[in-house]
Amino acid sequence: MIESLLINFFFLLLPVLIFLIFFEYRSFTYNKFIIFLLTAISMILCMEFPIQLEIGYIVDLRYIPFLIFALYTGYRYTFFLYITLNVTRFFIGNEGFWQSLLFSTIILFVVPLLHQWFIRQFPKRRILCAIIVAVSTMIFYLTSLIAFFPELNGEYWTMAIHTLITHALVMAVITILIEKINANREARELLFQSEKIDLVSNMAASVAHEIRNPLTVTNGFLQLLRQSQTITKDEQKYIEFSLIELKRAEGIVSDFLAFSRPQCANMVYSNLQAETEYVKNIMTPYANMHKVQMQLSFRNNLTLQYDKNQIQQCFINLFKNAIEAMRETGGTLSVDVIEDVKAVIVKINDTGIGMGKEEIAQLGRPYYSTKKEGTGLGMMMVYSTISKLNGKIKVESEKGKGTTFIINIPAA
């Protein structure tokens, strides 16, 4: 029995090992078809080599990959895994096919309902949730077997205890490995992002001041030239265009300078209330101009240490982007500041045009912007500021339904 259990455990580890060796560093790493294929192979192997208990019963671990896949991916791909499971079970034969079909059908309709809630949880909660789902599923399965037992003797309870313990432990190990892979991926992306931000910061410190001086001089001369009485209307128009472009160039230089400033000039200990209310007040006229309503909810007593000016600029950039995402049809910008376990959560939600997964993945990268006239430096400044606070940014968005920025900052 121990040998069969270890073999089944290896079958469940096999997709993780293949994933780490061949796919983790590739661009299509998180293609769901690849994950589906690896999960299906693991599940089929578990069914082909079941565990023979000493008391005479046969069990396998097929439902562990099935449950994990359902929790992490939802209905769409889980349906194909459901088909794979039952086709394989049909060809294996023996008694119990109809019971397996009924049980897997119930799982298909129930477990993927948890997907959206499951994904939003923190890693430790996801691990705990996966264990609870596995144990609950097996309790339901074992309860359904009571109809086939004339009496609940010691053999049944021995099988039940072995099954529950095995599924709980194996589910815990596999989900911990999955969460570790996800954590490594996020850490790697943060490292790449940090390196890019440092590169831009170094360029900003050495170049921005040198560029600003000639821009200021040129702006001054154009202002004087605009007041001349001898220039034509066409020349006046060209000067206006030049001044507009100079103003835009100065804005880009100011964004560059935001990266080179260390977080020390205006450090404060606070709970973000003053900063969020200040930014809401100064952005309200801009929101009204685009028919956007602003709602602020504040429920936080935890204290953070941060640069007041930089955190205000961070919120200004996020609020401005959210408002501009709704400028065609109007909408509502909701800002919630709440406290979690030793962390402050800032949720900024709009009802605008939304973004696709590829656009979300590019956010915060140098010179990437979803706006035609954008430079991407404002969003880079946001990621840089939150990174300096050891915080994390999570983005949830869907085309046509809006975007939510979830900022998690550890409390001081």
Side-chain angles (χ1 to χ4, degrees):
M1 183 186 73
I2 298 298
E3 181 180 347
S4 298
L5 176 60
L6 291 175
I7 291 174
N8 271 252
F9 185 55
F10 171 73
F11 291 152
L12 295 176
L13 285 178
L14 192 61
V16 179
L17 295 175
I18 294 174
F19 185 87
L20 286 172
I21 295 171
F22 296 104
F23 301 111
E24 187 179 15
Y25 293 96
R26 299 193 181 184
S27 58
F28 55 88
T29 291
Y30 295 90
N31 185 306
K32 288 185 179 179
F33 176 75
I34 294 173
I35 298 174
F36 162 78
L37 194 61
L38 293 174
T39 305
I41 293 171
S42 172
M43 188 176 63
I44 292 170
L45 288 173
C46 286
M47 296 169 68
E48 290 287 350
F49 300 92
I51 302 167
Q52 181 73 46
L53 297 178
E54 294 177 358
I55 58 177
Y57 297 107
I58 296 176
V59 296
D60 60 54
L61 303 179
R62 81 186 82 165
Y63 290 112
I64 289 181
F66 189 61
L67 291 170
I68 291 174
F69 196 82
L71 287 171
Y72 278 95
T73 65
Y75 276 110
R76 185 177 177 184
Y77 289 90
T78 304
F79 175 76
F80 297 104
L81 197 65
Y82 162 81
I83 297 297
T84 304
L85 185 152
N86 287 292
V87 169
T88 305
R89 181 65 183 84
F90 176 78
F91 283 108
I92 289 175
N94 299 324
E95 297 180 0
F97 168 74
W98 295 109
Q99 291 89 334
S100 174
L101 177 63
L102 177 61
F103 188 64
S104 60
T105 303
I106 293 172
I107 293 177
L108 176 67
F109 282 101
V110 175
V111 176
L113 287 173
L114 300 173
H115 167 64
Q116 294 294 338
W117 174 84
F118 179 79
I119 292 299
R120 289 195 293 268
Q121 303 307 305
F122 292 109
K124 290 183 179 179
R125 292 182 182 177
R126 281 200 291 266
I127 294 169
L128 180 61
C129 175
I131 295 171
I132 293 172
V133 169
V135 172
S136 301
T137 301
M138 285 303 106
I139 289 175
F140 177 70
Y141 176 72
L142 293 168
T143 303
S144 66
L145 288 180
I146 293 177
F148 301 95
F149 286 83
E151 60 180 40
L152 300 182
N153 53 25
E155 291 182 346
Y156 172 84
W157 292 114
T158 301
M159 181 194 67
I161 293 171
H162 285 175
T163 302
L164 290 175
I165 292 175
T166 300
H167 278 76
L169 290 177
V170 175
M171 178 64 87
V173 172
I174 300 301
T175 49
I176 287 171
L177 290 174
I178 291 172
E179 292 300 332
K180 187 64 178 177
I181 291 172
N182 288 335
N184 289 341
R185 174 180 61 88
E186 292 177 0
R188 189 165 58 249
E189 290 179 354
L190 286 174
L191 178 61
F192 292 157
Q193 185 73 20
S194 177
E195 290 176 349
K196 292 175 182 177
I197 290 174
D198 288 342
L199 177 63
V200 176
S201 298
N202 293 332
M203 287 194 304
S206 59
V207 175
H209 286 291
E210 299 300 325
I211 294 177
R212 174 170 278 183
N213 290 334
L215 285 178
T216 303
V217 173
T218 305
N219 190 305
F221 281 120
L222 285 173
Q223 295 279 5
L224 291 173
L225 188 59
R226 185 174 61 176
Q227 298 175 4
S228 173
Q229 302 297 323
T230 60
I231 60 175
T232 64
K233 289 185 177 180
D234 286 339
E235 291 172 335
Q236 180 79 22
K237 182 174 65 175
Y238 297 148
I239 292 173
E240 293 294 338
F241 284 142
S242 299
L243 288 171
I244 291 172
E245 289 303 305
L246 274 176
K247 185 177 180 181
R248 191 165 72 91
E250 288 178 348
I252 294 172
V253 171
S254 298
D255 287 338
F256 267 113
L257 286 173
F259 295 108
S260 62
R261 296 192 194 106
Q263 283 207 342
C264 61
N266 299 282
M267 297 299 290
V268 296
Y269 284 94
S270 184
N271 62 352
L272 291 177
Q273 184 169 8
E275 286 69 34
T276 51
E277 289 181 351
Y278 171 77
V279 174
K280 176 181 179 293
N281 290 335
I282 65 171
M283 294 301 296
T284 296
Y286 189 68
N288 292 337
M289 187 190 310
H290 293 88
K291 299 179 181 179
V292 173
Q293 293 182 342
M294 297 185 66
Q295 299 175 351
L296 173 61
S297 173
F298 194 92
R299 292 164 290 162
N300 171 51
N301 294 313
L302 297 178
T303 301
L304 303 174
Q305 183 182 17
Y306 53 84
D307 184 293
K308 183 177 181 180
N309 290 345
Q310 288 197 23
I311 206 72
Q312 287 178 353
Q313 187 61 46
C314 173
F315 287 149
I316 288 172
N317 290 339
L318 289 171
F319 287 18
K320 184 172 181 288
N321 287 344
I323 292 169
E324 290 175 350
M326 299 181 281
R327 59 185 169 189
E328 298 295 332
T329 58
T332 302
L333 171 59
S334 303
V335 182
D336 296 304
V337 183
I338 60 176
E339 60 179 86
D340 195 42
V341 181
K342 297 183 179 179
V344 178
I345 310 295
V346 182
K347 293 184 180 181
I348 302 173
N349 172 262
D350 67 64
T351 56
I353 57 177
M355 295 180 288
K357 292 183 178 179
E358 292 183 359
E359 292 174 309
I360 294 173
Q362 297 288 334
L363 288 176
R365 295 188 178 183
Y367 312 115
Y368 175 81
S369 176
T370 56
K371 297 179 289 187
K372 292 181 180 180
E373 70 279 7
T375 62
L377 295 176
M379 191 55 65
M380 273 197 70
M381 187 269 175
V382 170
Y383 276 81
S384 174
T385 300
I386 301 303
S387 177
K388 291 174 185 177
L389 298 174
N390 297 318
K392 295 182 180 179
I393 299 176
K394 181 179 179 181
V395 183
E396 297 176 354
S397 186
E398 188 174 346
K399 285 284 188 179
K401 294 186 178 180
T403 302
T404 301
F405 277 81
I406 304 172
I407 303 172
N408 186 310
I409 306 174

